Coordinates of all heavy atoms in Angstrom, one line a residue:
M1 N -4.1 11.4 -16.6 CA -4.0 10.1 -15.9 C -3.3 10.4 -14.6 O -3.8 9.8 -13.6 CB -3.2 9.1 -16.7 CG -3.0 7.8 -16.1 SD -2.6 6.6 -17.3 CE -2.1 5.3 -16.3
Q2 N -2.3 11.2 -14.5 CA -1.6 11.5 -13.3 C -2.6 12.1 -12.2 O -2.6 11.7 -11.1 CB -0.5 12.5 -13.5 CG 0.2 12.9 -12.2 CD 1.3 13.9 -12.5 OE1 2.1 13.7 -13.4 NE2 1.3 15.0 -11.7
T3 N -3.5 13.0 -12.7 CA -4.4 13.6 -11.9 C -5.4 12.6 -11.3 O -5.8 12.6 -10.1 CB -5.2 14.7 -12.6 OG1 -4.2 15.7 -13.0 CG2 -6.2 15.4 -11.6
D4 N -5.9 11.6 -12.2 CA -6.8 10.6 -11.8 C -6.1 9.7 -10.7 O -6.7 9.4 -9.7 CB -7.2 9.7 -12.9 CG -8.1 10.4 -13.9 OD1 -8.7 11.5 -13.5 OD2 -8.2 10.0 -15.0
F5 N -4.8 9.4 -10.9 CA -4.1 8.6 -9.9 C -4.0 9.3 -8.6 O -4.2 8.8 -7.5 CB -2.7 8.2 -10.5 CG -1.9 7.4 -9.5 CD1 -2.2 6.1 -9.2 CD2 -0.8 8.0 -8.9 CE1 -1.5 5.4 -8.3 CE2 0.0 7.2 -8.0 CZ -0.3 5.9 -7.7
A6 N -3.7 10.6 -8.7 CA -3.6 11.4 -7.5 C -4.9 11.5 -6.7 O -5.0 11.4 -5.5 CB -3.0 12.8 -7.8
E7 N -6.0 11.7 -7.5 CA -7.3 11.7 -6.9 C -7.6 10.4 -6.2 O -8.1 10.4 -5.0 CB -8.4 12.0 -7.9 CG -8.5 13.4 -8.4 CD -8.9 14.3 -7.3 OE1 -9.8 14.0 -6.5 OE2 -8.4 15.4 -7.3
R8 N -7.4 9.3 -6.8 CA -7.7 8.0 -6.2 C -6.8 7.8 -4.9 O -7.3 7.2 -3.9 CB -7.4 6.8 -7.2 CG -8.5 6.8 -8.3 CD -8.4 5.4 -9.0 NE -7.1 5.1 -9.5 CZ -6.5 5.5 -10.7 NH1 -7.2 6.2 -11.5 NH2 -5.3 5.1 -11.0
A9 N -5.5 8.1 -5.0 CA -4.6 8.0 -3.9 C -5.1 8.9 -2.7 O -5.1 8.4 -1.6 CB -3.2 8.2 -4.3
S10 N -5.5 10.1 -2.9 CA -5.8 11.0 -1.9 C -7.2 10.6 -1.3 O -7.5 11.0 -0.2 CB -5.9 12.5 -2.4 OG -6.8 12.7 -3.4
E11 N -8.0 9.9 -2.0 CA -9.2 9.3 -1.5 C -8.9 8.3 -0.4 O -9.7 8.0 0.5 CB -10.1 8.7 -2.5 CG -10.7 9.7 -3.4 CD -11.4 9.1 -4.6 OE1 -11.4 7.8 -4.8 OE2 -11.9 9.9 -5.4
R12 N -7.7 7.8 -0.3 CA -7.3 6.8 0.6 C -6.8 7.5 2.0 O -6.3 6.8 2.9 CB -6.3 5.9 0.1 CG -6.9 5.0 -1.0 CD -5.8 4.2 -1.7 NE -4.7 3.8 -1.1 CZ -3.5 3.4 -1.7 NH1 -3.5 3.3 -3.0 NH2 -2.5 3.0 -1.0
T13 N -6.9 8.8 2.0 CA -6.4 9.6 3.1 C -7.6 10.3 3.8 O -8.7 10.1 3.3 CB -5.4 10.7 2.7 OG1 -6.1 11.7 2.0 CG2 -4.3 10.1 1.8
D14 N -7.4 10.9 4.9 CA -8.4 11.7 5.6 C -8.5 13.1 5.1 O -9.2 13.9 5.7 CB -8.1 11.7 7.1 CG -8.3 10.3 7.8 OD1 -9.1 9.5 7.2 OD2 -7.6 10.1 8.8
A15 N -7.9 13.4 4.0 CA -8.0 14.8 3.4 C -9.5 15.0 3.1 O -10.2 14.2 2.6 CB -7.2 14.9 2.1
P16 N -9.9 16.3 3.3 CA -11.3 16.7 3.0 C -11.6 16.4 1.5 O -10.9 17.0 0.7 CB -11.4 18.1 3.4 CG -10.2 18.4 4.3 CD -9.1 17.5 3.9
A17 N -12.7 15.7 1.2 CA -13.0 15.4 -0.1 C -13.7 16.5 -0.9 O -13.8 16.5 -2.1 CB -13.9 14.1 -0.1
D18 N -14.2 17.5 -0.1 CA -15.0 18.6 -0.7 C -14.2 19.8 -1.1 O -14.7 20.8 -1.5 CB -16.1 18.9 0.2 CG -15.7 19.5 1.5 OD1 -14.5 19.2 1.9 OD2 -16.4 20.1 2.2
R19 N -12.9 19.7 -1.0 CA -12.0 20.9 -1.3 C -11.4 20.7 -2.7 O -11.1 19.6 -3.1 CB -10.9 21.0 -0.2 CG -11.4 21.3 1.1 CD -10.3 21.6 2.0 NE -10.8 21.8 3.4 CZ -9.9 22.0 4.4 NH1 -8.6 21.9 4.2 NH2 -10.4 22.2 5.6
P20 N -11.0 21.8 -3.3 CA -10.3 21.7 -4.6 C -8.9 21.0 -4.3 O -8.3 21.2 -3.3 CB -10.2 23.1 -5.1 CG -10.5 23.9 -3.9 CD -11.3 23.1 -2.9
R21 N -8.4 20.4 -5.4 CA -7.0 19.8 -5.3 C -6.1 20.3 -6.4 O -6.5 20.6 -7.5 CB -7.2 18.3 -5.4 CG -7.7 17.5 -4.3 CD -7.8 16.0 -4.5 NE -7.9 15.3 -3.3 CZ -8.8 15.5 -2.3 NH1 -9.7 16.4 -2.5 NH2 -8.9 14.7 -1.3
E22 N -4.9 20.4 -6.0 CA -3.8 20.8 -6.9 C -2.8 19.7 -6.8 O -2.5 19.2 -5.8 CB -3.2 22.1 -6.3 CG -2.0 22.6 -7.2 CD -2.5 23.5 -8.3 OE1 -3.7 24.0 -8.3 OE2 -1.8 23.6 -9.3
V23 N -2.2 19.3 -8.0 CA -1.3 18.2 -8.0 C 0.1 18.8 -8.4 O 0.2 19.7 -9.3 CB -1.6 17.2 -9.1 CG1 -0.5 16.1 -9.2 CG2 -3.0 16.5 -8.7
L24 N 1.2 18.5 -7.6 CA 2.5 19.0 -7.9 C 3.4 17.7 -8.1 O 3.6 17.0 -7.1 CB 3.0 19.8 -6.7 CG 4.4 20.3 -6.8 CD1 4.6 21.3 -8.0 CD2 4.8 21.0 -5.5
D25 N 4.0 17.6 -9.3 CA 4.9 16.4 -9.5 C 6.3 16.9 -9.4 O 6.8 17.7 -10.1 CB 4.6 15.9 -11.0 CG 5.3 14.6 -11.3 OD1 6.3 14.2 -10.6 OD2 4.9 13.9 -12.2
V26 N 7.0 16.3 -8.4 CA 8.4 16.7 -8.1 C 9.4 15.6 -8.4 O 10.5 15.6 -7.9 CB 8.5 17.2 -6.6 CG1 7.7 18.5 -6.4 CG2 8.1 16.2 -5.6
R27 N 8.9 14.6 -9.1 CA 9.7 13.4 -9.3 C 11.1 13.6 -10.0 O 12.1 13.0 -9.8 CB 9.0 12.3 -10.0 CG 7.9 11.6 -9.2 CD 7.2 10.6 -9.9 NE 6.2 11.3 -10.9 CZ 5.4 10.7 -11.6 NH1 5.3 9.4 -11.6 NH2 4.6 11.4 -12.5
E28 N 11.0 14.6 -10.9 CA 12.2 14.9 -11.7 C 13.2 15.9 -11.0 O 14.2 16.2 -11.6 CB 11.8 15.4 -13.1 CG 10.9 14.5 -13.9 CD 11.6 13.2 -14.3 OE1 12.8 13.3 -14.6 OE2 11.0 12.2 -14.2
L29 N 12.8 16.4 -9.9 CA 13.6 17.4 -9.2 C 14.7 16.8 -8.3 O 14.3 15.9 -7.6 CB 12.7 18.4 -8.4 CG 11.6 19.2 -9.3 CD1 10.8 20.0 -8.4 CD2 12.3 20.0 -10.4
G30 N 15.8 17.4 -8.2 CA 16.8 16.9 -7.2 C 16.7 17.8 -5.9 O 16.2 18.8 -5.9
P31 N 17.2 17.1 -4.9 CA 17.1 17.8 -3.6 C 17.9 19.1 -3.6 O 18.8 19.2 -4.3 CB 17.8 16.8 -2.6 CG 17.8 15.5 -3.3 CD 17.8 15.8 -4.8
P32 N 17.4 20.1 -2.9 CA 16.2 20.2 -2.0 C 15.0 20.8 -2.8 O 14.0 21.2 -2.1 CB 16.7 21.2 -1.0 CG 17.5 22.2 -1.7 CD 18.2 21.3 -2.8
E33 N 15.0 20.7 -4.1 CA 13.9 21.4 -4.9 C 12.5 20.8 -4.6 O 11.5 21.6 -4.5 CB 14.2 21.3 -6.4 CG 15.3 22.2 -6.8 CD 15.6 22.1 -8.3 OE1 14.7 22.5 -9.0 OE2 16.6 21.6 -8.6
P34 N 12.3 19.5 -4.3 CA 10.9 19.0 -4.0 C 10.4 19.7 -2.8 O 9.3 20.1 -2.7 CB 11.1 17.6 -3.8 CG 12.3 17.2 -4.7 CD 13.2 18.3 -4.6
L35 N 11.2 19.8 -1.7 CA 10.8 20.4 -0.5 C 10.5 21.9 -0.8 O 9.4 22.4 -0.4 CB 11.9 20.3 0.5 CG 11.7 21.0 1.8 CD1 11.4 20.0 2.9 CD2 12.9 21.9 2.3
T36 N 11.4 22.6 -1.4 CA 11.2 24.0 -1.7 C 10.0 24.3 -2.6 O 9.2 25.2 -2.2 CB 12.5 24.6 -2.4 OG1 13.6 24.3 -1.6 CG2 12.3 26.1 -2.6
E37 N 9.9 23.5 -3.6 CA 8.7 23.7 -4.5 C 7.3 23.5 -3.8 O 6.4 24.2 -4.0 CB 8.8 22.7 -5.7 CG 9.8 23.2 -6.7 CD 9.5 24.4 -7.5 OE1 8.3 24.6 -7.9 OE2 10.3 25.2 -7.7
T38 N 7.3 22.4 -2.9 CA 6.1 22.1 -2.3 C 5.8 23.2 -1.2 O 4.6 23.7 -1.2 CB 6.3 20.8 -1.5 OG1 6.6 19.8 -2.5 CG2 5.0 20.4 -0.7
L39 N 6.7 23.7 -0.5 CA 6.4 24.8 0.5 C 6.0 26.0 -0.2 O 5.1 26.8 0.2 CB 7.6 25.0 1.4 CG 8.0 23.9 2.3 CD1 9.2 24.1 3.1 CD2 6.8 23.5 3.3
E40 N 6.6 26.4 -1.4 CA 6.3 27.6 -2.1 C 4.9 27.4 -2.7 O 4.1 28.4 -2.7 CB 7.3 27.9 -3.2 CG 8.6 28.4 -2.6 CD 9.7 28.6 -3.7 OE1 9.5 28.3 -4.9 OE2 10.8 29.0 -3.3
T41 N 4.6 26.2 -3.2 CA 3.2 26.0 -3.8 C 2.2 26.2 -2.7 O 1.1 26.8 -2.9 CB 3.2 24.7 -4.5 OG1 4.2 24.6 -5.5 CG2 1.8 24.4 -5.0
L42 N 2.4 25.6 -1.6 CA 1.5 25.7 -0.5 C 1.2 27.1 -0.1 O 0.0 27.5 0.2 CB 2.0 24.9 0.8 CG 1.8 23.4 0.7 CD1 2.6 22.7 1.8 CD2 0.4 22.9 0.8
A43 N 2.2 27.9 0.0 CA 2.1 29.3 0.3 C 1.3 30.1 -0.7 O 0.6 31.1 -0.3 CB 3.5 29.9 0.5
D44 N 1.3 29.7 -1.9 CA 0.6 30.4 -3.0 C -0.8 29.8 -3.2 O -1.6 30.5 -4.0 CB 1.4 30.3 -4.3 CG 2.7 31.1 -4.3 OD1 2.8 31.9 -3.4 OD2 3.6 30.8 -5.1
L45 N -1.2 28.8 -2.7 CA -2.5 28.2 -2.9 C -3.6 28.9 -2.1 O -3.4 29.4 -1.1 CB -2.5 26.7 -2.4 CG -1.8 25.7 -3.3 CD1 -1.9 24.3 -2.7 CD2 -2.4 25.7 -4.7
P46 N -4.8 29.0 -2.7 CA -5.9 29.6 -2.0 C -6.2 28.8 -0.8 O -6.0 27.5 -0.8 CB -7.1 29.5 -3.0 CG -6.5 29.3 -4.3 CD -5.1 28.6 -4.1
D47 N -6.7 29.4 0.2 CA -7.1 28.7 1.4 C -8.0 27.5 1.2 O -9.0 27.7 0.4 CB -7.8 29.7 2.5 CG -6.8 30.6 3.0 OD1 -5.6 30.4 3.0 OD2 -7.2 31.6 3.6
G48 N -7.8 26.5 1.9 CA -8.7 25.3 1.7 C -8.4 24.4 0.6 O -8.9 23.3 0.5
T49 N -7.4 24.7 -0.3 CA -7.0 23.8 -1.4 C -6.1 22.7 -0.8 O -5.2 22.9 0.0 CB -6.2 24.6 -2.4 OG1 -7.1 25.6 -3.0 CG2 -5.8 23.7 -3.6
V50 N -6.3 21.5 -1.2 CA -5.6 20.3 -0.9 C -4.4 20.2 -1.9 O -4.7 20.2 -3.1 CB -6.4 19.0 -0.8 CG1 -5.6 17.8 -0.6 CG2 -7.5 19.2 0.2
L51 N -3.2 20.0 -1.5 CA -2.1 19.8 -2.4 C -1.7 18.3 -2.4 O -1.6 17.7 -1.3 CB -0.9 20.6 -2.0 CG 0.4 20.5 -2.9 CD1 0.2 21.0 -4.3 CD2 1.6 21.2 -2.3
V52 N -1.5 17.7 -3.6 CA -1.1 16.3 -3.7 C 0.3 16.3 -4.3 O 0.5 16.7 -5.5 CB -2.0 15.5 -4.5 CG1 -1.5 14.0 -4.6 CG2 -3.4 15.5 -3.9
Q53 N 1.3 16.0 -3.6 CA 2.7 16.0 -4.0 C 3.0 14.6 -4.6 O 2.8 13.6 -3.9 CB 3.7 16.3 -3.0 CG 5.2 16.4 -3.5 CD 6.2 16.0 -2.5 OE1 6.2 14.9 -2.0 NE2 7.1 17.0 -2.1
V54 N 3.4 14.5 -5.8 CA 3.8 13.3 -6.5 C 5.3 13.1 -6.4 O 6.0 14.1 -6.9 CB 3.3 13.2 -7.9 CG1 3.7 11.9 -8.6 CG2 1.8 13.5 -8.1
N55 N 5.8 12.0 -5.9 CA 7.2 11.9 -5.6 C 7.6 10.4 -5.9 O 6.7 9.6 -5.9 CB 7.5 12.4 -4.2 CG 9.0 12.9 -4.1 OD1 9.9 12.4 -4.8 ND2 9.2 13.7 -3.1
D56 N 8.9 10.2 -5.9 CA 9.4 8.8 -6.1 C 9.8 8.2 -4.7 O 10.3 7.1 -4.7 CB 10.5 8.7 -7.1 CG 11.7 9.6 -6.8 OD1 11.6 10.3 -5.8 OD2 12.7 9.6 -7.5
R57 N 9.7 9.0 -3.7 CA 10.0 8.6 -2.3 C 9.3 9.4 -1.3 O 8.7 10.5 -1.6 CB 11.5 8.7 -2.1 CG 12.0 10.2 -2.0 CD 13.5 10.3 -1.8 NE 14.3 9.8 -2.9 CZ 14.7 10.6 -4.0 NH1 14.3 11.8 -4.0 NH2 15.4 10.1 -4.9
A58 N 9.2 8.9 -0.1 CA 8.5 9.6 1.0 C 9.3 10.9 1.3 O 10.6 10.8 1.5 CB 8.4 8.8 2.2
P59 N 8.7 12.1 1.4 CA 9.4 13.3 1.6 C 9.7 13.5 3.1 O 9.1 14.4 3.7 CB 8.5 14.4 1.0 CG 7.1 13.8 1.2 CD 7.3 12.3 1.1
Q60 N 10.7 12.7 3.6 CA 10.9 12.8 5.1 C 11.3 14.1 5.6 O 10.8 14.5 6.7 CB 12.0 11.7 5.4 CG 11.7 10.3 5.0 CD 10.6 9.8 5.9 OE1 10.3 10.1 7.0 NE2 9.8 8.9 5.3
H61 N 12.0 14.9 4.9 CA 12.4 16.3 5.4 C 11.3 17.2 5.3 O 11.3 18.3 6.0 CB 13.6 16.7 4.5 CG 14.8 15.9 4.7 ND1 15.6 15.8 5.8 CD2 15.4 15.1 3.8 CE1 16.5 14.9 5.7 NE2 16.5 14.5 4.5
L62 N 10.3 17.0 4.5 CA 9.1 17.8 4.4 C 8.2 17.7 5.6 O 7.6 18.7 6.0 CB 8.3 17.5 3.1 CG 7.0 18.3 2.9 CD1 7.3 19.8 2.7 CD2 6.3 17.7 1.6
Y63 N 8.1 16.5 6.2 CA 7.1 16.3 7.3 C 7.2 17.2 8.5 O 6.2 17.9 8.9 CB 7.2 14.8 7.7 CG 6.8 13.8 6.7 CD1 7.4 12.5 6.7 CD2 5.9 14.1 5.7 CE1 7.1 11.6 5.8 CE2 5.6 13.1 4.7 CZ 6.2 11.9 4.8 OH 5.8 10.9 3.8
P64 N 8.5 17.4 9.0 CA 8.6 18.4 10.1 C 8.2 19.8 9.8 O 7.6 20.5 10.6 CB 10.0 18.3 10.5 CG 10.7 17.2 9.7 CD 9.7 16.8 8.7
K65 N 8.5 20.2 8.5 CA 8.1 21.6 8.1 C 6.6 21.7 8.0 O 6.1 22.8 8.3 CB 8.8 21.8 6.7 CG 10.3 21.6 6.7 CD 11.0 22.9 6.6 CE 12.4 22.6 6.4 NZ 13.2 23.3 7.5
L66 N 5.9 20.7 7.5 CA 4.5 20.7 7.4 C 3.9 20.8 8.9 O 3.0 21.6 9.1 CB 3.9 19.6 6.7 CG 4.3 19.4 5.2 CD1 3.8 18.1 4.7 CD2 3.7 20.6 4.4
E67 N 4.4 20.0 9.8 CA 4.0 20.0 11.1 C 4.1 21.4 11.8 O 3.3 21.9 12.5 CB 4.7 18.9 12.0 CG 4.2 17.5 11.6 CD 5.0 16.5 12.2 OE1 6.1 16.7 12.8 OE2 4.6 15.3 12.1
D68 N 5.3 22.0 11.5 CA 5.6 23.3 12.1 C 4.6 24.3 11.6 O 4.3 25.3 12.3 CB 7.0 23.7 11.7 CG 8.1 23.0 12.5 OD1 7.7 22.3 13.4 OD2 9.3 23.1 12.1
R69 N 4.1 24.2 10.4 CA 3.2 25.1 9.8 C 1.8 24.8 10.0 O 0.9 25.5 9.5 CB 3.5 25.3 8.2 CG 4.9 25.9 8.0 CD 5.3 25.7 6.5 NE 6.4 26.5 6.2 CZ 7.7 26.3 6.5 NH1 7.9 25.2 7.2 NH2 8.7 27.0 6.0
G70 N 1.5 23.7 10.7 CA 0.1 23.4 11.0 C -0.7 22.7 10.0 O -1.9 22.5 10.1
Y71 N 0.0 22.1 9.0 CA -0.6 21.3 8.0 C -0.9 19.8 8.5 O -0.1 19.3 9.3 CB 0.2 21.3 6.7 CG 0.2 22.5 5.9 CD1 1.3 23.3 6.0 CD2 -0.9 22.9 5.2 CE1 1.3 24.5 5.3 CE2 -0.9 24.1 4.4 CZ 0.3 24.8 4.5 OH 0.3 26.0 3.8
E72 N -1.9 19.2 8.0 CA -2.2 17.8 8.2 C -1.8 17.2 6.8 O -1.8 17.8 5.8 CB -3.6 17.5 8.4 CG -4.0 18.0 9.8 CD -5.4 17.6 10.1 OE1 -5.7 16.4 10.1 OE2 -6.3 18.5 10.3
F73 N -1.3 15.9 6.9 CA -0.8 15.2 5.6 C -0.8 13.8 5.8 O -0.8 13.2 7.0 CB 0.6 15.7 5.3 CG 1.6 15.5 6.4 CD1 2.3 14.3 6.4 CD2 1.8 16.4 7.4 CE1 3.3 14.1 7.4 CE2 2.7 16.2 8.4 CZ 3.5 15.1 8.4
E74 N -0.9 13.1 4.8 CA -0.8 11.6 4.7 C -0.1 11.2 3.4 O -0.3 11.9 2.4 CB -2.1 10.9 4.8 CG -2.8 10.9 6.1 CD -4.1 10.2 6.1 OE1 -4.1 8.9 5.8 OE2 -5.2 10.8 6.4
T75 N 0.7 10.1 3.5 CA 1.4 9.6 2.4 C 1.0 8.3 2.1 O 0.8 7.4 3.0 CB 3.0 9.7 2.6 OG1 3.4 11.0 2.9 CG2 3.7 9.1 1.5
V76 N 0.7 8.0 0.8 CA 0.4 6.6 0.3 C 1.3 6.3 -0.8 O 1.7 7.2 -1.6 CB -1.1 6.4 -0.1 CG1 -2.0 6.7 1.0 CG2 -1.4 7.5 -1.2
T77 N 1.7 5.0 -1.0 CA 2.5 4.6 -2.1 C 1.8 3.6 -2.9 O 1.2 2.7 -2.3 CB 3.9 4.0 -1.6 OG1 4.6 5.0 -0.8 CG2 4.8 3.5 -2.7
D78 N 1.8 3.7 -4.2 CA 1.1 2.8 -5.0 C 1.8 2.7 -6.4 O 2.1 3.7 -7.0 CB -0.3 3.3 -5.3 CG -1.2 2.3 -5.9 OD1 -0.7 1.3 -6.4 OD2 -2.4 2.5 -5.8
G79 N 2.3 1.5 -6.8 CA 2.9 1.3 -8.0 C 4.3 2.1 -8.2 O 4.6 2.6 -9.3
G80 N 5.0 2.2 -7.1 CA 6.3 2.9 -7.1 C 6.2 4.4 -7.1 O 7.2 5.1 -7.2
V81 N 5.0 4.9 -6.9 CA 4.8 6.4 -6.8 C 4.3 6.7 -5.4 O 3.5 6.0 -4.9 CB 3.8 6.9 -7.9 CG1 3.5 8.4 -7.7 CG2 4.2 6.6 -9.3
T82 N 4.9 7.8 -4.9 CA 4.5 8.2 -3.5 C 3.7 9.5 -3.6 O 4.2 10.4 -4.2 CB 5.8 8.4 -2.7 OG1 6.5 7.1 -2.6 CG2 5.5 8.8 -1.2
L83 N 2.6 9.5 -3.0 CA 1.7 10.7 -3.1 C 1.5 11.1 -1.6 O 1.0 10.4 -0.7 CB 0.4 10.4 -3.7 CG 0.6 10.1 -5.2 CD1 0.2 8.7 -5.5 CD2 -0.2 11.1 -6.0
T84 N 1.9 12.4 -1.4 CA 1.6 13.0 -0.1 C 0.5 14.0 -0.2 O 0.7 15.0 -1.0 CB 2.9 13.7 0.4 OG1 3.9 12.6 0.6 CG2 2.7 14.3 1.8
T85 N -0.6 13.8 0.4 CA -1.7 14.7 0.4 C -1.6 15.6 1.6 O -1.4 15.2 2.7 CB -3.0 13.8 0.4 OG1 -3.0 13.0 -0.7 CG2 -4.2 14.8 0.3
I86 N -1.7 16.9 1.3 CA -1.4 17.9 2.3 C -2.7 18.9 2.4 O -3.1 19.4 1.4 CB -0.2 18.7 2.0 CG1 1.0 17.9 1.7 CG2 0.1 19.8 3.1 CD1 2.2 18.4 1.1
W87 N -3.2 19.1 3.6 CA -4.3 20.0 3.8 C -4.2 20.8 5.1 O -3.4 20.5 5.9 CB -5.6 19.3 3.6 CG -5.9 18.3 4.8 CD1 -6.7 18.6 5.8 CD2 -5.5 17.0 4.9 NE1 -6.7 17.5 6.6 CE2 -6.0 16.5 6.1 CE3 -4.6 16.1 4.2 CZ2 -5.7 15.2 6.6 CZ3 -4.3 14.9 4.6 CH2 -4.9 14.4 5.8

């Protein structure tokens, strides 16, 4: 179900629809682990894979790091869950 929700939410972004997706749920992690886990996961993903981070808030500290690394991203909130799609 979480994957379906992440898929539907990422369809509301400009992320490429034809790429594989990976979902990373960081809602249970305390700071700075969501940031660290997301950056480490991105580094380990095959080229072209879209990462969907599931969080309980917008990852404000992550955005500048993504910009510095050349990633595009969009965040959508639905039903109290925040999904940041990164490609």
Side-chain angles (χ1 to χ4, degrees):
M1 181 160 168
Q2 174 183 314
T3 303
D4 291 340
F5 178 68
E7 285 292 325
R8 287 193 311 272
S10 64
E11 288 172 359
R12 294 171 30 199
T13 71
D14 289 332
D18 61 342
R19 294 187 187 173
R21 282 183 166 52
E22 181 85 20
V23 177
L24 177 64
D25 190 340
V26 297
R27 289 177 287 183
E28 300 295 320
L29 302 177
E33 289 180 66
L35 177 107
T36 304
E37 287 290 320
T38 302
L39 293 176
E40 288 175 359
T41 299
L42 283 168
D44 292 339
L45 286 177
D47 288 342
T49 301
V50 175
L51 180 65
V52 180
Q53 184 209 61
V54 181
N55 206 331
D56 57 358
R57 67 181 69 88
Q60 298 296 327
H61 298 289
L62 178 63
Y63 298 149
K65 305 249 185 240
L66 295 174
E67 289 172 351
D68 289 347
R69 289 165 172 79
Y71 287 102
E72 294 185 59
F73 57 91
E74 285 185 58
T75 298
V76 296
T77 302
D78 194 342
V81 177
T82 301
L83 294 115
T84 301
T85 305
I86 307 162
W87 68 98

